[in-house]
Amino acid sequence: MNPKSLFILICLIFPVSYLQAQRVATIGKPLDYVSTLVGTQSTYFLSSGNTYPAIAVPWGMNFWSPQTGKMGDGWMYTYTAEKIRGIKQTHQPSPWMNDYGQFSIMAMVGNKTFDQDKRASYFSHKAEVAKPHYYSVYLADYDTKVEVTPTERAAYFRFSFPKSEEAYVLLDAFDKGSYVEVIPAENKIIGYSTKNSGGVPENFKNYYVLEFNKPFKNVATFADSVLQDNRYKVKAAHVGAILGFSVAGKEDPVLLKVASSFISHEQAQLNLRELKGASFDQIKDKAADIWNKELGKIEVKGGTIDQIRTFYSCLYRSLLFPRMFYEYDANNQVVHYSPYNGQVLPGYMFTDTGFWDTFRSLFPFLNLMYPEMNLKMQEGLANAYREGGWLPEWASPGYRNIMVGNNSASVVADAWVKGVRSKDIETLYEALVKGSKNAGPMTAVGRAGANYYNELGYVPYDVKIHENVARSLEYAYDDFAIYQVAKDLNKKDDIPFYESRAYNYQKLFDPQNGLMRGKNKDGSWQSPFNPFKWGDAFTEGNSWHYSWSVFQDFEGLAKLLGGHKAMENKLDSVFILPPIFDDSYYGFPIHEIREMQIVNMGQYAHGNQPIQHMTYLYNYVGAPWKSQYWVRETMDRMYSPNPDGYCGDEDNGQTSAWYVFSALGFYPVTPAVDEYVIGSPLFDKVILHLSNGKKVEINASQNSAENRYIKSMTLNGKNYSKNYVKHSEITKGAVINFVMDSKPNTQRGTGATDFPFSLSTANK
């Protein structure tokens, strides 16, 4: 039988859909399933993740990325690009925030140029390997292979040139103030870059050191527009160096060790210790082992190959931010350059995360699976407060004036409630109280409109504070988070104060529309009201999105809406309504609008954070099967392991952590509460290896694409009807068994005692 006939026979016996749906029984090493290219097929106008292929170890201080964009372009790597300009050290959290502490390294043959366009080489994804621990690319114009593998603060490069007397390695220290010094006697370069996008003190520098395995045949340095031979030291707005080598061939690689520091050149040299005594392949293997260890804390079995690839690619993204911003001094003590006051101080520091995004599921995920890391992050937050006077809400690397809310309260409270007990809790609590009552030095620190909120319980629409409804709703939830900590710390005077403010969401509920609406200072409603209007009173969304931002009290919201059935109908409406929008506030459809419009899920805008928890809310009104349907639908339709694999910005692990949690079968709808709300488990079997040595085993028998509904459930062998599981219970070690079905079980999880936490009922 010829191959074509055999293929036709196989397709007749096994339909293509069946072949694609084959479930993988064992996975081996989870790193093998990770693609760093997921989300890289993005543009300014339409995001499929807005990611770049971060070459890093988990939470590493330095990341590396191939650079296809021009110097200063936030879209440093786009999947559709044809040329590479270099391999860039980056600390960029997103293209919208752009970068700091950056420089680029490029290999060339016979082309001694500094021009970023003229030096660029064609490349193909067919000759590219993009993994977290290792990146390689074939530079077609130079017949050269470039490889890089990372440590926390250093990286190892291997350049495989053809035989040449004109093999070059270029260092581009970028503009906005940089320095380079070539030290031929030591095969070394030192220097610094000051290029940044804000959030840095005046003395900010990223110091670097590069050490090669070969002597330099020739040296040239660049200063602004002039490339000059035999000049070894230069400082200007834009500098760099080109090092020439004599290479016998590809079996004679040029090796480069590079490290950097935010403290000093001496500290950068110390950071190079991470590569000491090791070969390129040994560092590569060590980085792979680190990733397999961290990724392997969650074992999944019995999903399709695409689901497993998507899961571990999302898990990789969940372990990058916030990144380390600390180093080890000569005595191996933890120190950091403070992005808040410019001093070098003891202790941990982390950065490059926006709590508006990541309080929702990324930080709860760390508290479940990596609490020892979040314990360090809590110390870093306390240090940020001591050094800058406020908790950051968006740090990159210091305070950045973007987004709304005071969600550091949630980040601190969720850790504390979940058992991550920081020694700095009193300092952190002091910071929470200060941030909750005062406007900060910029609108994204503390609470913009705090005086109005303190007096009225909301930020008015007519006082020229934009996104006022979004701010007010998030402040009310943040007050709830502080209330949770106040109770545990027995802050008697604060408990009733923050509890009462947690109900402030009620002040902006418009009973006529059943939605949240702007309110003027005199108590009148903002008018005219268009619930489809993006921005204005809301943040990157509309009233249909933000009306569900009542994390602390969905029972109270249901009461305002007219009861459980009324809230269920309102939830249904999100998916039934057409994806219409009013973009008049922005003047054009921002990318988040387009991402909602094109996915054909009505007003549900999973590509942005405000509504990502909404699919779970049917659990609060006695219709959990609808959550099971829509959670699975979102996983199936909004995620893939491909370059367009997200449905909007990935945002520092938040959108990835949503998928990771949802694939497990539960989600932290209300951070700072000891509960996860149940959805629809994606895999036949999951084992969570917790840091306390306990295991959580999750089994979903009869699971498939069609069988997305929970027929029955047991917890530790006992029938279980509740729509949530407690963090404190499962972290003792647990076995959760689901039986899945193609038809919803409309009898399970319908009683009031089955509903998850709500403030209104918890305090009765």
Side-chain angles (χ1 to χ4, degrees), residues 53-67:
I55 309 153
V57 294
W59 306 289
M61 187 178 89
N62 298 330
F63 295 0
W64 295 84
S65 174
Q67 180 191 348

Side-chain angles (χ1 to χ4, degrees), residues 500-513:
S500 65
R501 299 213 318 183
Y503 290 103
N504 279 341
Y505 70 89
Q506 298 172 349
K507 299 178 185 295
L508 294 180
F509 179 81
D510 175 13
Q512 181 178 348
N513 295 283

Side-chain angles (χ1 to χ4, degrees), residues 409 412-414 416-417 425 428-429 432 479-491 495 672:
V412 171
D414 191 65
W416 189 258
V417 167
I425 189 59
L428 289 168
Y429 185 78
L432 297 187
D479 283 334
F480 165 78
I482 300 171
Y483 161 70
Q484 291 287 82
V485 180
K487 285 193 301 179
D488 206 74
L489 298 181
N490 197 29
K491 304 292 185 181
I495 293 170

Side-chain angles (χ1 to χ4, degrees), residues 459-501:
V459 180
Y461 181 85
D462 59 347
V463 295
K464 298 183 179 180
I465 298 176
H466 67 286
E467 302 169 21
N468 39 81
V469 174
R471 295 180 192 277
S472 301
L473 293 172
E474 292 188 24
Y475 295 167
Y477 162 69
D478 297 330
D479 283 334
F480 165 78
I482 300 171
Y483 161 70
Q484 291 287 82
V485 180
K487 285 193 301 179
D488 206 74
L489 298 181
N490 197 29
K491 304 292 185 181
K492 293 181 179 179
D493 293 338
D494 290 347
I495 293 170
F497 175 78
Y498 285 107
E499 180 186 6
S500 65
R501 299 213 318 183

Side-chain angles (χ1 to χ4, degrees), residues 8 18 136 143 171 256 531 660 716 725:
I8 292 171
Y18 174 81
S136 73
D143 187 26
L171 165 71
L256 165 62
V660 171
N716 294 330
V725 292

Side-chain angles (χ1 to χ4, degrees), residues 324-609:
M324 300 169 182
F325 202 77
Y326 62 88
E327 306 173 50
Y328 292 93
D329 67 13
N331 298 315
N332 211 35
Q333 298 299 303
V334 175
V335 294
H336 65 271
Y337 165 83
S338 174
Y340 301 101
N341 64 18
Q343 299 177 32
V344 177
L345 297 164
Y348 291 108
M349 182 63 66
F350 290 80
T351 192
D352 293 322
T353 188
F355 295 153
W356 183 84
D357 304 287
T358 54
F359 86 84
R360 303 165 195 269
S361 64
L362 187 277
F363 276 94
F365 177 68
L366 297 179
N367 290 327
L368 175 63
M369 294 305 305
Y370 305 91
E372 67 286 352
M373 283 305 302
N374 203 14
L375 185 62
K376 296 176 183 177
M377 293 171 189
Q378 296 295 310
E379 180 182 325
L381 278 176
N383 287 333
Y385 173 67
R386 294 183 185 106
E387 295 159 21
W390 302 84
L391 289 178
E393 303 298 335
W394 231 119
S396 179
Y399 300 122
R400 297 292 291 274
N401 198 22
I402 188 171
M403 306 311 293
V404 305
N406 181 217
N407 298 307
S408 54
S410 178
V411 172
V412 171
D414 191 65
W416 189 258
V417 167
K418 302 281 178 59
V420 180
R421 295 303 173 105
S422 172
K423 63 181 175 57
D424 297 299
I425 189 59
E426 290 293 342
T427 298
L428 289 168
Y429 185 78
E430 174 188 309
L432 297 187
V433 171
K434 178 181 178 181
S436 74
K437 295 180 179 181
N438 299 281
M442 56 185 71
T443 56
V445 174
R447 293 188 178 181
N451 55 330
Y452 296 110
Y453 183 82
N454 293 339
E455 177 187 353
L456 302 171
Y458 63 92
V459 180
Y461 181 85
D462 59 347
V463 295
K464 298 183 179 180
I465 298 176
H466 67 286
E467 302 169 21
N468 39 81
V469 174
R471 295 180 192 277
S472 301
L473 293 172
E474 292 188 24
Y475 295 167
Y477 162 69
D478 297 330
D479 283 334
F480 165 78
I482 300 171
Y483 161 70
Q484 291 287 82
V485 180
K487 285 193 301 179
D488 206 74
L489 298 181
N490 197 29
K491 304 292 185 181
K492 293 181 179 179
D493 293 338
D494 290 347
I495 293 170
F497 175 78
Y498 285 107
E499 180 186 6
S500 65
R501 299 213 318 183
Y503 290 103
N504 279 341
Y505 70 89
Q506 298 172 349
K507 299 178 185 295
L508 294 180
F509 179 81
D510 175 13
Q512 181 178 348
N513 295 283
L515 294 167
M516 297 296 173
R517 181 176 178 181
K519 182 177 281 188
N520 295 320
K521 186 179 178 182
D522 65 4
S524 62
W525 292 113
Q526 168 263 325
S527 185
F529 174 60
N530 181 355
F532 301 103
K533 184 177 183 180
W534 282 61
D536 197 14
F538 303 96
T539 302
E540 296 177 359
N542 63 33
S543 183
W544 278 104
H545 306 146
Y546 252 98
S547 290
W548 311 108
S549 291
V550 187
F551 307 94
Q552 68 275 25
D553 193 19
F554 290 111
E555 181 65 28
L557 179 62
K559 185 176 180 181
L560 291 175
L561 285 163
H564 294 154
K565 188 62 180 177
M567 180 165 159
E568 180 186 345
N569 292 338
K570 201 76 171 182
L571 289 165
D572 290 343
S573 297
V574 172
F575 300 108
I576 294 170
L577 287 165
I580 59 176
F581 57 87
D582 174 355
D583 64 1
S584 60
Y585 177 76
Y586 300 106
F588 65 96
I590 61 173
H591 73 92
E592 291 90 350
I593 292 176
R594 287 288 182 227
E595 290 143 18
M596 178 198 75
Q597 182 191 32
I598 64 178
V599 298
N600 193 27
M601 287 180 73
Q603 287 290 314
Y604 183 64
H606 189 79
N608 208 21
Q609 281 67 40

